[in-house]
Amino acid sequence: MKKILIAAAACTALICGSASAQETKVDPLHVDVLMKFAFSQAPKDWAGRTDQDETMKVCSATRNAPSAEQATAIMTREKTKIKYPEDGKLLGDWKKGESFAQSGYGQRFTDYPPRNPNGGNCYACHQMTTAEVSYGTVGPSLLEYGKIRKFAEADVKAVYDKIYNAHAAFPCSLMPRFGSNGVLTIDQIKDLVALVMSPESPVNK
Ligand code: HEC
């Protein structure tokens, strides 16, 4: 942890600029070195979390604006990574889904060793219910998402796919690939699909 603080201090001196901060260009090489250094202190099973896969490489290189050809390649590749529940049911328990949507637990230094299931942190980017007034706006509001779509089966599947692997339908999405990256389990994703797509869920009230 101490070394991470040193890394943060180094960031100020090396890349983040000081007096003329606004004119200082961020050097990607320095960022890379600092990230690798910080992660060298992380638990062993975190190795590889800073290695970009093919999709991330393209998104970084194009600043999230892939060409039509690259976009098609990303969607094709990411679609093949989606796994479905053995029982074929995509709707779980919306109440559990709401707790996962609220939770930002997991994969942080302070969560190690893990004591709780990972969360999806959906509210960090999406409005979802009228009851929760603290939400981010990086992603679109999901209020009445299922109701607007008449709870159609095709949309239930689209939401499952979206949560499992956001890039399969939207290349270089800012939304994490919760299933493919092993952040959420299939059961948790079903619960979140129920939160977004079931008529009983507060998202659709
Ligand atoms: C880091 C921000 C971020 C987080 C966290 C996030 N999303 Fe998203 N989400 C987005 C963005 C940005 C979009 C729009 C681009 C896209 O469709 O990929 C989006 C799109 C969506 C859509 C499709 C919306 C549409 O226009 O049809 C759904 C459904 C969705 N998110 C559900 C979720 C759920 C459920 C969670 C939690 C498990 C979640 N998101 C977590 C950023 C996020």
Side-chain angles (χ1 to χ4, degrees):
M1 191 55 95
K2 199 167 150 207
K3 285 193 179 158
I4 294 160
L5 293 178
I6 296 169
C11 158
T12 326
L14 280 173
I15 54 160
C16 303
S18 46
S20 57
Q22 278 170 342
E23 290 149 37
T24 309
K25 284 222 173 102
V26 174
D27 177 352
L29 268 180
H30 279 136
V31 176
D32 222 36
V33 168
L34 285 170
M35 284 295 290
K36 289 223 156 68
F37 179 66
F39 270 75
S40 69
Q41 308 303 301
K44 289 275 172 291
D45 55 333
W46 286 20
R49 271 176 65 177
T50 56
D51 297 340
Q52 293 192 310
D53 66 7
E54 198 49 35
T55 294
M56 287 290 97
K57 277 183 194 154
V58 174
C59 295
S60 289
T62 61
R63 295 194 167 259
N64 294 337
S67 68
E69 203 178 311
Q70 287 168 320
T72 308
I74 290 174
M75 288 193 286
T76 310
R77 178 168 53 240
E78 298 303 321
K79 257 186 210 135
T80 63
K81 296 184 189 168
I82 301 178
K83 297 201 171 69
Y84 294 94
E86 277 172 17
D87 64 4
K89 296 199 176 93
L90 302 183
L91 288 162
D93 175 347
W94 71 259
K95 286 188 187 136
K96 286 194 203 159
E98 167 65 7
S99 75
F100 299 138
Q102 290 277 0
S103 164
Y105 188 90
Q107 305 200 339
R108 301 169 298 194
F109 283 93
T110 45
D111 302 332
Y112 197 83
R115 298 171 303 279
N116 296 306
N118 289 342
N121 214 11
C122 316
Y123 281 98
C125 295
H126 295 285
Q127 179 183 30
M128 297 186 84
T129 58
T130 45
E132 179 53 86
V133 294
S134 168
Y135 55 84
T137 53
V138 170
S141 169
L142 301 178
L143 269 188
E144 302 196 342
Y145 195 89
K147 196 172 166 186
I148 292 164
R149 287 162 183 79
K150 301 191 168 48
F151 309 107
E153 222 172 282
D155 290 304
V156 171
K157 181 176 176 291
V159 171
Y160 182 93
D161 288 0
K162 184 85 225 167
I163 303 172
Y164 203 101
N165 191 320
H167 293 252
F170 194 113
C172 299
S173 172
L174 296 180
M175 179 164 154
R177 292 169 288 178
F178 291 103
S180 303
N181 284 346
V183 178
L184 298 173
T185 64
I186 285 182
D187 281 340
Q188 286 182 302
I189 293 174
K190 286 166 67 167
D191 294 339
L192 284 154
V193 174
L195 177 67
V196 178
M197 288 304 290
S198 75
E200 302 79 37
S201 159
V203 168
N204 297 310
K205 294 289 179 199

